[in-house]
Amino acid sequence: MKMTGTIFARIAILAALPLLFLHQLPPAAGIAAIAFAGLVLWWTTLFWLRIAGIALLMFAWMLGAGRADITATEAASSAPATYSVRIDEVRQERQQIKVQLLRREGRYLFPPRFAWLSLGERQQDYCPGQRWSMKLNLRPVHAKLNEGEFDAQRFALANHMALRGRIQQQQPESLTCSWRWQLIMRDMPVINALEQSAVIQALAFGERAEMDDALRQLLRETGTAHLMAISGMHIALAASSGWLIARAVQLFLPTRLIGYLFPLLMNWLAAALYTWLSGSYAPAQRTLFALTLWVIFRLKGVQPGGWQVWSLCVGGLLLLDPLNVLSESFWLSALAVAILLTWYHWFPLPERCRHGWRWLPVQLLHLQLGMTLLMAPLQVMLFEGISFSALAANMLAIPAITFISVPLILLAILTPVGALCSALWHLADASLVWLLTALKALPDGWWAFHDAGTLALLLWGGLIAWRCALFYAAPIGCAALVLALIVWRWPREEPGWHIDMLDVGQGLSVVIRQGKEAMLYDTGPRWESGDAGTRHVIPWLSRKHLQLQTVVLSHRHLDHSGGLNAIKTRWPGVPIRSATLDDDHLPCVRGTRWRWGVLNVEALWPLKRSKVSNNNDSCVLSIDDGVTRLLLMGDLEASAERQLVALEKNRLKADIIQVPHHGSRTSSTPLLLRNVDGHIAIASMARYNAWRMPVKSVLENYRRAGFTWYDTAQSGQITITVAGRKIVVSGLREQILPRWYHQWFGVKR
């Protein structure tokens, strides 16, 4: 058996997969040992031992790429340094720029990495393409981490953007903007005046920042979001346009000058031009890579099969950049192509329907039906729901975008004449206005669903069973298997009750749950572009299929009440308790008690309701099942802590305490901790908070009092399971989903 490129590519894919699941990366010495073992096996004569050697060498390559990225990130964040950077992206509305780090203290960086920089009060006019010398104070990305949420830390590592920071000093090296930016600026006055300027910018230049939440929701719920971002389809369309232009030119050439090489090269050049214009985002780069392989095969006269091309593209991309394995968009692209290959191989159209223009609607319906069915589990995984209107929406949107909107946009970009260029932009805008109006007119077909694993097993497994005729050969066995799968995945009530401190950054949100019911203590912070209720709390409760029974608001401060409006919008009838004077709130003052399932809930503080509702007016709750007790303290400070101890005397004893005021020096007095006399302390805070919480003296107070400390900055979401006297604490980074790309990079606490 010969060593072929396809075999190498498939080994590369298998060698990269462990990067998705490893808890920790081995040290450099361990990676070197794996590479040495691979070399030894490579030099043997047995074919399968040589295959194993290649696999080990590739595995070492993948591990080395991950280790190098972490090492470079930690080195960059160890101390401020002077960098030579190129501006890559500017976000004026967020006062941020993305820069490519080219040199550090005069030494070239390879591969170059990216960092997002906060501009603060700087009024400098930046544009992509400029080069600066900057003294930067950088730190590693540290994303909020809750079960099932978008994994921002993994995304940052996959895209080599694992650094954030601010500018201390700067000096220009070149203030010339890139040609691409100059071209964008040429057309922006016209584009900004269009009704669908946000979609135009996304399709023309890959800029999706201007798309508002309502538009994003419409695209998500109609299953058309993939069309409004630069993807393989758009690059393929540009390549086809280049081929058609070349063929049109050949109509005027003598026969001896007509060949396949000119259209082939124009095909590639058009795709490369559109990739550059659209910002060279990863999906476009991957499509261009695949197209380059195809051009090489054509030039060499090689005719590989579909699965061979797929293996070579996926394996080649992973060898070039092993951290592609962490990219959801990479796997979405790869699986989409694999699904198409499977669909056309296993469920082809009849021969008579595969050719001729009259069968084009049938071919499009067949294509879209396959994508809708087979991509459904991936849609659930990414968007937490299924769009039943996606088939109809895509039957409208794909022809409109492919044959009308994108060609008009490409012509507008390439047209230098002002009046004609403006007319083309307006025609493209009109086509998008019509399309979005049609999408809005479709009936609501969105169904929130979260179990992608079950859907994949049922749908993909069902299609395999149908294709292999297992339904006919063993109908009883297939039915039993489906029933077993449903029973296995059927949600079961966990014993005891649970405390979930969500990772909402510098704020607080704690969920107490028993069975399928939940009580929420505080709703997290609010910021300029959103709030924790919308971003974290509501999606988390929905994924857990929990019925919200009560919301308790400790006090008014925005880091505790910022998500309240979103919660009230989602569950308008849910009762809200607080110590404020709001008319629609039930009281939460000393003496308030209620029974909820197996739990006794009692308010210990404040003495009365308050209009101001500051830290010392926080509603302090005691929750117990008769054996184990939890204290929720809000932001209570030292003076109120002393009054609470005087009132409760020896009745403050609890096993678990929510650390008051995020570990500030104003709270957690030794007097309080002696009276609580517990052993678990949980705190909610952001890693890079401006107040540098938790304060070292507070940490020392808890250590001396015999508490084990947990906080969301280190662990992400913290889950405590209480069953009688048994208490199990799990942090998302350490126990629930430990992955090397989730860990705390940079300087440790």
Side-chain angles (χ1 to χ4, degrees):
M1 189 182 294
K2 294 194 303 181
M3 294 279 189
T4 65
T6 306
I7 291 176
F8 275 99
R10 289 172 181 169
I11 293 172
I13 295 169
L14 293 174
L17 290 178
L19 284 182
L20 287 170
F21 310 108
L22 286 173
H23 294 186
Q24 296 286 348
L25 293 179
I31 296 172
I34 293 171
F36 179 75
L39 282 172
V40 171
L41 292 176
W42 166 255
W43 286 107
T44 60
T45 56
L46 293 175
F47 177 78
W48 290 109
L49 286 179
R50 297 189 73 193
I51 289 289
I54 294 170
L56 286 176
L57 285 170
M58 288 187 177
F59 183 46
W61 169 253
M62 306 296 175
L63 292 174
R67 172 56 62 191
D69 212 60
I70 298 306
T71 301
T73 300
E74 294 191 329
S77 59
S78 61
T82 300
Y83 293 84
S84 177
V85 306
R86 180 169 58 236
I87 309 295
D88 186 69
E89 187 176 342
V90 179
R91 291 186 179 174
Q92 291 290 359
E93 73 284 356
R94 297 188 183 181
Q95 288 294 289
Q96 290 179 324
I97 57 172
K98 186 172 81 171
V99 300
Q100 186 178 12
L101 305 176
L102 303 175
R103 296 194 303 272
R104 183 174 190 261
E105 301 294 353
R107 299 180 62 180
Y108 281 94
L109 300 175
F110 184 82
R113 288 176 168 81
F114 296 88
W116 280 102
L117 305 178
S118 174
L119 299 181
E121 301 299 321
R122 294 178 182 272
Q123 299 299 317
Q124 178 69 45
D125 288 330
Y126 297 102
C127 68
Q130 288 180 345
R131 295 180 67 129
W132 292 77
S133 176
M134 293 180 172
K135 186 175 183 181
L136 303 177
N137 186 11
L138 298 173
R139 63 192 187 191
V141 65
H142 187 86
K144 302 178 185 72
L145 200 60
N146 296 296
E147 285 181 277
E149 274 188 5
F150 171 70
D151 197 335
Q153 193 159 316
R154 170 173 156 170
F155 175 84
L157 284 167
N159 291 278
H160 305 285
M161 297 187 299
L163 291 164
R164 304 285 187 272
R166 54 188 176 84
I167 304 168
Q168 293 185 339
Q169 299 172 11
Q170 63 178 14
Q171 184 176 349
E173 293 180 357
S174 170
L175 295 178
T176 304
C177 301
S178 67
W179 288 359
R180 173 179 174 268
W181 185 251
Q182 293 177 43
L183 186 59
I184 292 174
M185 288 297 102
R186 182 202 74 175
D187 292 327
M188 282 310 293
V190 177
I191 293 173
N192 285 333
L194 301 176
E195 185 175 343
Q196 294 300 332
S197 62
V199 180
I200 292 279
Q201 289 183 54
L203 290 174
F205 310 117
E207 301 289 343
R208 303 185 71 191
E210 298 300 319
M211 296 173 68
D212 59 32
D213 291 339
L215 177 58
R216 292 175 188 272
Q217 183 176 353
L218 173 67
L219 298 176
R220 184 195 70 173
E221 294 185 356
T222 54
T224 54
H226 64 101
L227 295 172
M228 303 304 174
I230 302 299
S231 64
M233 186 192 76
H234 301 89
I235 304 303
L237 177 61
S240 301
S241 301
W243 184 87
L244 288 172
I245 291 170
R247 293 293 291 159
V249 169
Q250 287 182 332
L251 292 174
F252 303 97
L253 297 177
T255 306
R256 60 188 176 80
L257 296 179
I258 297 175
Y260 73 93
L261 186 59
F262 177 57
L264 196 64
L265 293 178
M266 285 295 292
N267 175 287
W268 185 89
L269 285 171
L273 177 63
Y274 193 28
T275 299
W276 172 72
L277 280 172
S278 64
S280 299
Y281 289 103
Q285 289 183 24
R286 291 193 288 266
T287 306
L288 186 62
F289 178 82
L291 184 63
T292 303
L293 279 181
W294 179 77
V295 169
I296 292 171
F297 290 147
R298 290 298 305 273
L299 292 174
K300 293 288 186 181
V302 178
Q303 295 271 343
W307 284 109
Q308 287 179 299
V309 174
W310 185 88
S311 299
L312 289 167
C313 289
V314 174
L317 287 165
L318 289 173
L319 278 174
L320 288 173
D321 183 4
L323 293 189
N324 269 326
V325 77
L326 302 181
S327 169
E328 288 182 349
S329 72
F330 171 80
W331 287 114
L332 190 62
S333 301
L335 291 174
V337 175
I339 281 168
L340 281 175
L341 290 171
T342 303
W343 180 250
Y344 278 103
H345 180 68
W346 279 12
F347 306 99
L349 278 171
E351 180 64 31
R352 65 181 180 184
C353 300
R354 299 182 201 174
H355 309 288
W357 285 98
R358 63 176 179 159
W359 294 108
L360 187 61
V362 176
Q363 294 166 10
L364 180 59
L365 178 62
H366 175 256
L367 166 66
Q368 192 53 45
L369 181 63
M371 293 299 289
T372 301
L373 282 175
L374 296 179
M375 291 290 285
L378 300 179
Q379 186 182 25
V380 170
M381 183 183 72
L382 293 176
F383 302 116
E384 300 181 341
I386 300 174
S387 173
F388 290 108
S389 60
L391 182 59
N394 279 278
M395 289 294 290
L396 286 172
I398 289 177
I401 294 293
T402 304
F403 299 117
I404 302 174
S405 303
V406 171
L408 286 170
I409 288 171
L410 288 173
L411 285 172
I413 291 173
L414 298 174
T415 300
V417 181
L420 180 57
C421 176
S422 177
L424 289 168
W425 283 121
H426 280 86
L427 286 172
D429 182 61
S431 70
L432 291 168
V433 169
W434 171 86
L435 175 60
L436 291 174
T437 302
L439 293 180
K440 290 175 184 176
L442 290 172
D444 183 16
W446 183 255
W447 178 42
F449 186 72
H450 306 279
D451 195 348
T454 298
L455 185 63
L457 289 170
L458 286 172
L459 189 57
W460 293 346
L463 288 172
I464 291 171
W466 183 22
R467 178 65 174 79
C468 300
L470 294 179
F471 284 134
Y472 305 103
I476 296 176
C478 287
L481 187 61
V482 170
L483 183 62
L485 175 63
I486 292 172
V487 171
W488 171 54
R489 299 292 290 183
W490 196 266
R492 295 178 293 275
E493 286 193 10
E494 301 174 47
W497 54 289
H498 309 270
I499 306 155
D500 298 282
M501 179 173 276
L502 303 186
D503 186 1
V504 294
Q506 192 61 25
L508 179 66
S509 187
V510 180
V511 179
I512 313 299
R513 55 187 167 99
Q514 49 179 331
K516 287 300 175 184
E517 295 184 347
M519 179 175 76
L520 181 64
Y521 183 83
D522 281 343
T523 61
R526 186 168 76 225
W527 50 90
E528 285 186 11
S529 58
D531 62 84
T534 304
R535 186 76 59 84
H536 304 293
V537 181
I538 294 173
W540 192 91
L541 292 170
S542 298
R543 279 190 293 271
K544 293 287 186 179
H545 306 288
L546 294 172
Q547 302 165 13
L548 187 61
Q549 301 297 307
T550 308
V551 176
V552 179
L553 202 63
S554 65
H555 61 301
R556 286 190 192 276
H557 286 180
L558 275 184
D559 57 334
H560 294 251
S561 64
L564 182 61
N565 288 336
I567 299 291
K568 289 165 68 175
T569 301
R570 175 62 179 81
W571 292 285
V574 69
I576 301 170
R577 291 184 177 272
S578 75
T580 68
L581 290 174
D582 292 48
D583 293 334
D584 59 339
H585 290 194
L586 297 171
C588 187
V589 294
R590 183 173 175 79
T592 304
R593 297 182 180 86
W594 69 95
R595 178 84 174 177
W596 173 46
V598 301
L599 298 177
N600 304 301
V601 186
E602 180 181 0
L604 306 180
W605 188 266
L607 300 178
K608 61 181 181 179
R609 301 174 83 168
S610 166
K611 183 177 181 180
V612 178
S613 189
N614 284 323
N615 288 347
N616 278 335
D617 301 309
S618 293
C619 174
V620 176
L621 283 188
S622 164
I623 302 174
D624 72 86
D625 59 1
V627 178
T628 302
R629 192 180 190 202
L630 162 71
L631 280 182
L632 295 172
M633 304 290 296
D635 275 356
L636 208 67
E637 297 186 354
S639 59
E641 286 180 5
R642 288 192 289 271
Q643 294 180 62
L644 180 60
V645 170
L647 286 168
E648 286 294 314
K649 307 242 186 289
N650 298 322
R651 293 183 60 248
L652 268 182
K653 184 173 175 57
D655 304 275
I656 308 161
I657 184 173
Q658 171 251 317
V659 174
H661 205 190
H662 318 287
S664 163
R665 68 176 73 252
T666 64
S667 306
S668 299
T669 57
L671 174 66
L672 172 71
L673 301 185
R674 282 198 306 272
N675 280 270
V676 172
D677 192 25
H679 54 278
I680 296 171
I682 54 175
S684 179
M685 66 194 68
R687 178 180 179 183
Y688 299 119
N689 65 81
W691 303 272
R692 300 190 178 182
M693 299 173 184
V695 177
K696 290 182 179 179
S697 60
V698 170
L699 288 171
E700 185 62 20
N701 286 347
Y702 280 93
R703 187 191 67 79
R704 288 177 179 170
F707 284 86
T708 302
W709 176 279
Y710 303 90
D711 64 57
T712 58
Q714 290 194 118
S715 301
Q717 173 192 320
I718 299 167
T719 295
I720 303 176
T721 300
V722 181
R725 296 190 179 278
K726 185 179 180 182
I727 303 174
V728 179
V729 185
S730 303
L732 197 58
R733 279 193 171 86
E734 298 89 352
Q735 288 89 20
I736 300 173
L737 193 66
R739 297 289 186 266
W740 67 271
Y741 46 81
H742 285 160
Q743 301 311 317
W744 181 307
F745 303 130
V747 179
K748 304 296 187 290
R749 178 177 293 163

